Every structure is written in C-alpha cells, then in structure tokens.
Amino acid sequence: LCGRSRVLGAERFLVVAAKQQEIPSVVVIDEWFDYRYNFVDNQDRTVHLPDIICCPDEMACEEAKDEGLPKDRLIPTGSPALSALMDKIESYAINPPEYPNYIKHTNLPIITFMSETHSIDYGSKVGSKGVLGNYLGYDEYSVRMDLINILEEINIKCTVIEKLHPSVNKNVVSQPDISGVTWHTISGSTPLALMWHSTIVIGMRSMALLQSALMGLPTASYQPNMKVNERCTAVRLNLIPSFTNIMGMKKWLINSLKKDNMSLNRGKSLTRPFFANKKASHAVFKAITNSNSSIK
C-alpha cells in the first residue's frame, strides 16, 4: 500500500518489487492531476503501475482514465487523508483550537497567504523553466508583490501571515513595510489552527486552499497571467474562485474583508463531500482485500 510520488522514489520501486514477488499493490492518490505521471519512469513508460489505484472520487477516475490509466484498476474510494481532515474540522467546530502565538493578540482581520515554490518548479520569467516545467506566467514572488500593492492601495489595517513552503527558510524573505499592516512570515508545516482563525486565505495552487475551503473560510486562488490549464484542486472542484488579474483579486479581497462577510460559516459551509467521506479508509482496505483475492 503506497501513496503517490511525483519523483522516482521508494513508492514506485516498491510497486515494481511487489509485482516481481507476485504481491498485489495498491496506491492511494488524493489529488486531481498528473494521474499517469505518478506511475511512469524517466522514459515515460508506465512501469510503476499498481494493481489498484484508489481515487478520491469519480471525477478523478474519469480523468485518470482519460490520461490512459486502465479503467479496471481505478476505484473511487475517497481520500483517507481528506476524511481525517474533515474529522478535524468537525472537532474544531465544537472545540476551536488555540490561536497560534503570532496571531494571539491581534484584533485585526487576518489574511493568510499560502506561498509555494513556483520559481524553482517552473521558473520566474517568460521563456524560463524549472524542475517541473515551463514558466506559469507568475511565481510566488510576483503574487506576493501584487498582494503588497493591493494592501498599500486599499489602506486596510490587517495582519498578514505569509506561510512559506516547508522547504523555504523564512530568513531569505524580506519583510515588507506597509502602513497599518502587521506582516509575519512563517515556515514549516501549515498549522490548521492558523487557517481556522484566519479571516481570508489566498494562494495559488496549494492543497491548503482545499483545506481552507473545507473549513468554510473565504478562500481564493490568484494566478496572474496564467499560461497553463487550471491546476488548483479547490478551483477545479468549484469550491473557491480563481483570479488571473490584479483587479479581480483586489475586488474580492475588499469584499471579503467587509464585516458582514467575515468567516461567518467557519466549519459549517459544506457538507462532507464524497472525497472526504468517513468510510474512505474502509473503502481502501476493501480494495486491498479484493485485489489480493482476485489477483491470487
């Protein structure tokens, strides 16, 4: 039983080793893109294809099939990880988590900006590329600068939490000086308590945007001048809006910070979707046991 891997790592080699030993293999995926890419070698051959692929929902199964994966190996089970997330959200609705120290004493609106590593992954200018592909039309630094410019222009007192990707050291990022804005840059894993107590959440394509949307928070994807197809899962599932220009982002931010719109549905806005269903782990276990008996 493995998770997915975007690189030639242990998961892919274990699948191959299992096949050689005639041991059934099952992989659980919990994203809605790059289905086939999870199982190819450096020559684009699907040599790491497991016996069963557990998908988060029917949409993922159809998209995986369209990318060329065998239909008979795709099973919509839901995601155990997203199911556990919904359990946590439901518990927060009853017993809210404590405020992280860096926002404990603020009475201002809290904007959480989920940064990523697009400059490394895709390059930082037209014609450039990174380890995962060609330039997207933006990177985390251009998005950050647009957010700074918006806050300088609208002159709203607030606290901004810039959550860096775990691989980035916060000391390499300079702190902007914006009148009326308290800006904190943090690194490491994303504390769910931070998102829970945020007023709004802004990001690009991060999975954290899906987590925020499931909490019922006003959440938006901002990908200015985007040159590729939409890859933000929360957008593709129609849970949050996506903006590709600064005017749209500015209008949404101003509207979301109005007192009447501030996080009134935290933890209550969504029923539990299938991809986060309570029986996801049981469905994966059933897929494992069924594959074991059918393959033998």
Side-chain angles (χ1 to χ4, degrees):
L1 173 64
C2 295
R4 73 174 195 144
S5 172
R6 70 178 184 177
V7 297
L8 286 172
E11 294 89 350
R12 299 194 190 187
F13 298 132
L14 282 170
V15 167
V16 173
K19 190 172 300 184
Q20 292 171 347
Q21 297 293 322
E22 298 184 350
I23 298 171
S25 58
V26 178
V27 167
V28 180
I29 60 175
D30 54 9
E31 264 289 16
W32 283 258
F33 56 79
D34 280 354
Y35 305 97
R36 184 178 181 277
Y37 183 70
N38 292 317
F39 308 111
V40 299
D41 63 8
N42 53 15
Q43 297 182 39
D44 200 39
R45 300 172 300 181
T46 53
V47 298
H48 306 110
L49 198 63
D51 298 300
I52 296 294
I53 302 170
C54 296
C55 299
D57 59 10
E58 289 284 359
M59 172 179 160
C61 286
E62 285 299 313
E63 292 180 344
K65 183 188 72 173
D66 291 343
E67 287 192 9
L69 296 185
K71 181 180 180 180
D72 60 352
R73 302 192 188 194
L74 303 168
I75 301 178
T77 58
S79 163
L82 293 174
S83 177
L85 171 68
M86 283 301 297
D87 290 344
K88 179 67 72 173
I89 291 171
E90 289 172 356
S91 73
Y92 281 175
I94 300 171
N95 296 304
E98 292 186 6
Y99 281 81
N101 289 334
Y102 40 83
I103 58 173
K104 184 175 291 187
H105 303 295
T106 182
N107 294 317
L108 299 174
I110 299 168
I111 300 172
T112 294
F113 167 47
M114 303 302 304
S115 187
E116 297 181 62
T117 55
H118 288 336
S119 58
I120 296 172
D121 295 338
Y122 303 100
S124 295
K125 59 183 179 180
V126 175
S128 66
K129 64 185 303 182
V131 295
L132 296 182
N134 296 324
Y135 180 56
L136 301 175
Y138 67 91
D139 65 12
E140 66 271 27
Y141 300 111
S142 63
V143 169
R144 182 184 198 258
M145 184 53 64
D146 280 357
L147 177 58
I148 291 171
N149 290 336
I150 290 172
L151 293 175
E152 287 178 335
E153 183 176 344
I154 65 178
N155 194 30
I156 292 179
K157 291 184 177 180
C158 63
T159 296
V160 175
I161 307 299
E162 179 184 22
K163 170 59 187 66
L164 300 177
H165 188 273
S167 65
V168 179
N169 189 317
K170 67 179 182 179
N171 295 325
V172 304
V173 181
S174 60
Q175 300 295 295
D177 183 11
I178 310 170
S179 177
V181 175
T182 302
W183 190 291
H184 298 283
T185 300
I186 64 172
S187 56
S189 59
T190 302
L192 289 178
L194 165 61
M195 284 196 289
W196 181 264
H197 291 297
S198 298
T199 307
I200 64 175
V201 177
I202 298 170
M204 291 160 277
R205 307 195 320 196
S206 173
M207 189 66 165
L209 299 182
L210 176 60
Q211 297 172 339
S212 174
L214 292 175
M215 289 183 181
L217 292 170
T219 306
S221 168
Y222 180 49
Q223 301 176 75
N225 308 308
M226 183 169 61
K227 299 181 180 298
V228 295
N229 293 332
E230 183 62 73
R231 290 280 298 272
C232 177
T233 295
V235 173
R236 298 189 64 240
L237 294 175
N238 296 315
L239 297 178
I240 68 172
S242 176
F243 301 100
T244 57
N245 64 76
I246 194 169
M247 292 305 297
M249 185 70 249
K250 174 184 172 183
K251 183 177 179 180
W252 178 87
L253 190 150
I254 293 173
N255 185 59
S256 298
L257 289 178
K258 291 179 180 177
K259 288 186 177 180
D260 293 341
N261 296 333
M262 283 191 187
S263 305
L264 298 180
N265 295 317
R266 185 183 285 113
K268 303 175 183 178
S269 69
L270 285 175
T271 56
R272 185 183 282 256
F274 173 81
F275 60 75
N277 74 84
K278 278 187 173 293
K279 294 185 177 181
S281 293
H282 296 283
V284 171
F285 182 75
K286 183 178 180 180
I288 292 172
T289 53
N290 287 347
S291 69
N292 191 38
S293 59
S294 63
I295 293 169
K296 286 183 176 179

